[in-house]
Amino acid sequence: MMGHTIAPLSEHTGAEVRGIDLTEALDSAVQARLNCAFVEHSVLVFRDQHLMPHQLLKAVGFFGEVFPQHNSRFALPECPLVHYISNQDFYPDGRRYIPGEGYHTDHSNAARPPKATVLHAVHLPDRGGDTQYINMHLAYDELPRETKLRLNGLKAIHVYQSRFSARRLMELSAESRSRVPDAVAHPIVRTHPESGRKAIYINPIRTEGIVGMPQAEALSLLADLVEHATQPRYQYHHQWRPGDLVMWDNRSLLHKANGDYDMNQLRYLYRIMLQGDVPF
Ligand code: SIN
């Protein structure tokens, strides 16, 4: 595939890929270049893609093995490894459910959390509904030295739904629950297996404590880390365009969906995840 370009979208996060048609096979040189760009920029935005679910499933296979998502309620019946994100779902009490609200990293309650998440726009609101990212490598790099020393060797406890989370997730069915671990512990500072860079690895929706630390102290430390990481200088906002397919690195970022748009307009995207490694 000749003539594609990869251009940074901000100083620290995101790159735009043009001239690639993901319905076609990618040769190994292009795959290698895209994988390098993915590790370097943490978010790849492929413009002008129009993929059906089975085409999306095939295309992401160039970047890794598919990770089965936890809540089967959102699976597409015709292609269950592909899920949907929609603003037209409601909690049992009638409140609207905005998937992805509140900073998080995907499925960190898995022993081997997904390395990447891919969203492909199907319907977008006229304005708003950005996906907002935090570069957790930069946030780690700029921590005070004494905080880095304090974090050394600490592990956070991740569960499906932290009882301290401000955001409520949709309940799991009994079948989904049987596939999800009760709790896992991951290092608070993880090393990217491909770049060797360190990142803060926490998840305000799923992190419930720190191994061996009194709860109040753990919650205070986690809250301080979130406050530090969510400063504007570590953020990148992705403004969706029709045809966008966005793949991001869960090992390097927090992200959230912004529910700042007209809810009478449909926001609907396909979602798929790629298997990662045990964080170290
Ligand atoms: C997600 O958290 O996976 C969804 C993000 C979004 O809808 O922008």
Side-chain angles (χ1 to χ4, degrees), residues 69 85-86 98-102 104 106 117-119 129-133 167 238 240 248 250 255-258 261 267 269 271 273:
Q69 299 178 60
I85 291 279
S86 167
I98 308 290
E101 246 190 340
H104 63 286
D106 284 329
T117 300
V118 177
L119 290 186
D130 295 359
T131 305
Q132 200 168 316
Y133 298 94
R167 174 183 161 216
H238 177 66
W240 286 90
W248 70 79
N250 285 309
H255 67 277
K256 70 170 183 174
N258 275 308
Y261 54 94
R267 184 178 187 274
L269 306 97
R271 178 165 77 160
M273 292 179 187

Side-chain angles (χ1 to χ4, degrees), residues 210-280:
I210 296 177
V211 176
M213 190 178 281
Q215 191 172 83
E217 188 185 340
L219 293 179
S220 158
L221 175 56
L222 292 167
D224 287 349
L225 291 173
V226 172
E227 191 182 339
H228 163 75
T230 52
Q231 295 179 74
R233 68 176 184 276
Y234 306 133
Q235 295 180 14
Y236 164 68
H237 289 231
H238 177 66
Q239 290 182 317
W240 286 90
R241 296 185 197 166
D244 279 357
L245 184 152
V246 176
M247 179 167 79
W248 70 79
D249 195 329
N250 285 309
R251 302 163 296 188
S252 306
L253 305 166
L254 289 181
H255 67 277
K256 70 170 183 174
N258 275 308
D260 61 349
Y261 54 94
D262 178 356
M263 288 296 156
N264 294 315
Q265 297 187 355
L266 177 62
R267 184 178 187 274
Y268 185 97
L269 306 97
Y270 296 139
R271 178 165 77 160
I272 194 159
M273 292 179 187
L274 295 178
Q275 184 67 59
D277 302 310
V278 176
F280 61 91

Side-chain angles (χ1 to χ4, degrees), residues 170-239:
M170 209 59 110
E171 285 292 315
L172 292 173
S173 65
E175 183 276 320
S176 295
R177 210 174 305 120
S178 69
R179 292 184 291 112
V180 175
D182 289 340
V184 295
H186 293 309
I188 292 183
V189 178
R190 73 178 290 186
T191 304
H192 195 289
E194 293 173 74
S195 69
R197 284 189 79 185
K198 290 185 173 177
I200 305 171
Y201 189 64
I202 52 173
N203 187 343
I205 288 161
R206 301 194 194 264
T207 311
E208 205 162 53
I210 296 177
V211 176
M213 190 178 281
Q215 191 172 83
E217 188 185 340
L219 293 179
S220 158
L221 175 56
L222 292 167
D224 287 349
L225 291 173
V226 172
E227 191 182 339
H228 163 75
T230 52
Q231 295 179 74
R233 68 176 184 276
Y234 306 133
Q235 295 180 14
Y236 164 68
H237 289 231
H238 177 66
Q239 290 182 317

Side-chain angles (χ1 to χ4, degrees), residues 19-64:
I20 295 250
D21 177 355
L22 288 171
T23 62
E24 290 178 12
L26 302 179
D27 69 39
S28 53
V30 174
Q31 276 182 51
R33 192 161 177 239
L34 290 170
N35 268 315
C36 281
F38 178 62
V39 172
E40 183 182 347
H41 299 284
S42 307
V43 179
L44 289 186
V45 179
F46 294 87
R47 301 287 190 197
D48 308 318
Q49 308 297 317
H50 300 281
L51 304 184
M52 302 296 288
H54 68 278
Q55 293 174 308
L56 177 62
L57 189 59
K58 192 166 169 214
V60 300
F62 294 121
F63 302 98

